[in-house]
Amino acid sequence: GESVGLHLPTLSVQEGDNSIINCAYSNSASDYFIWYKQESGKGPQFIIDIRSNMDKRQGQRVTVLLNKTVKHLSLQIAATQPGDSAVYFCAEINTGANSKLTFGKGITLSVRP
Amino acid sequence: DTGVSQDPRHKITKRGQNVTFRCDPISEHNRLYWYRQTLGQGPEFLTYFQNEAQLEKSRLLSDRFSAERPKGSFSTLEIQRTEQGDSAMYLCASSLAGTGTDTQYFGPGTRLTVL
């Protein structure tokens, strides 16, 4: 759903299930994408990144998928744990133009025990 | 801790006062960035440095804001004549450009409250 004011979209998953967090990015010229996790009162924490010449990249328990045709990015978290509860942001950069990150709307992941 | 550090973590000030925040990047990182984040939103870019040079400034950075990185290491962000609308989390990030990846790593932020 859409975020309105202070209310971020929320994804609620059962502990142990897989989570999929989606993001639509805005700039077709962006060539580098990053997922960040942000816990309450802390700065964004790097999770995983992907360049535009790839469509999939795997890390430990996380996978990022990139679909440039529809400007869509997703983060898959395997075997979701309570410690994964946080706000997740996707961010994009057009490295040929500048170095500033443009963040998407955050999504709150809530893990049910 | 060898990550990005910021000081202070919290700052409460009265409207009209000046405030200054400090950021210490990851050692040897040549780029340093400032972002602002309000509640419920993603961080918004303010400015960034490559070594000592300030290379880009956002329109969000009004003339009351000034950032410096005099020796290419730590940076300061000063806000003069603070307004209530300046209340936000101010985030610093650093990266090492020129190595093929330019991943930005964030500090814990400084939360500013203007009364």
Side-chain angles (χ1 to χ4, degrees):
Chain A
E2 292 293 319
S3 63
V4 179
L6 302 180
H7 301 289
L8 293 170
T10 300
L11 174 66
S12 180
V13 299
Q14 189 73 38
E15 180 179 358
D17 286 353
N18 297 335
S19 303
I20 300 176
I21 302 172
N22 296 304
C23 171
Y25 64 91
S26 56
N27 187 353
S28 57
S30 293
D31 58 353
Y32 182 47
F33 305 87
I34 309 170
W35 279 101
Y36 286 94
K37 170 187 178 184
Q38 188 171 28
E39 296 173 288
S40 182
K42 297 183 179 180
Q45 176 188 352
F46 172 86
I47 301 174
I48 191 168
D49 59 0
I50 188 168
R51 295 203 170 275
S52 58
N53 60 354
M54 303 172 69
D55 54 20
K56 179 179 180 179
R57 189 159 188 230
Q58 289 185 293
Q60 188 176 11
R61 277 202 313 119
V62 294
T63 300
V64 55
L65 299 177
L66 174 63
N67 184 331
K68 295 182 288 294
T69 302
V70 295
K71 293 191 288 187
H72 184 268
L73 199 63
S74 69
L75 177 70
Q76 300 177 0
I77 304 174
T80 313
Q81 302 170 358
D84 295 326
S85 294
V87 177
Y88 289 79
F89 291 96
C90 66
E92 58 182 303
I93 298 182
N94 175 3
T95 60
N98 52 50
S99 292
K100 63 180 183 181
L101 287 166
T102 299
F103 283 80
K105 295 181 180 179
I107 297 171
T108 299
L109 177 64
S110 176
V111 181
R112 303 188 303 272
Chain B
D1 187 352
T2 56
V4 178
S5 61
Q6 294 186 244
D7 183 70
R9 295 293 308 278
H10 300 90
K11 179 70 178 178
I12 300 174
T13 191
K14 293 182 179 179
R15 189 176 52 187
Q17 297 294 305
N18 300 342
V19 295
T20 300
F21 310 140
R22 176 179 170 126
C23 170
D24 287 88
I26 293 171
S27 179
E28 297 178 355
H29 275 191
N30 52 8
R31 285 188 175 170
L32 186 149
Y33 310 78
W34 286 99
Y35 290 82
R36 182 173 70 186
Q37 185 177 27
T38 53
L39 201 60
Q41 303 296 316
E44 295 175 292
F45 171 81
L46 292 178
T47 188
Y48 93 96
F49 295 83
Q50 175 140 339
N51 301 313
E52 306 89 353
Q54 189 173 14
L55 296 187
E56 187 172 350
K57 292 195 288 186
S58 162
R59 294 174 195 172
L60 294 175
L61 213 67
S62 76
D63 56 7
R64 296 185 297 107
F65 287 69
S66 63
E68 294 183 344
R69 195 183 183 199
K71 298 182 180 179
S73 56
F74 74 91
S75 176
T76 57
L77 177 68
E78 180 183 16
I79 309 174
Q80 296 182 327
R81 305 180 303 281
T82 52
E83 302 173 354
Q84 287 185 326
D86 297 332
S87 295
M89 174 80 89
Y90 289 84
L91 292 162
C92 176
S94 70
S95 71
L96 182 59
T99 59
T101 60
D102 192 13
T103 304
Q104 296 181 29
Y105 296 92
F106 284 82
T110 294
R111 180 166 294 286
L112 173 67
T113 301
V114 182
L115 302 177

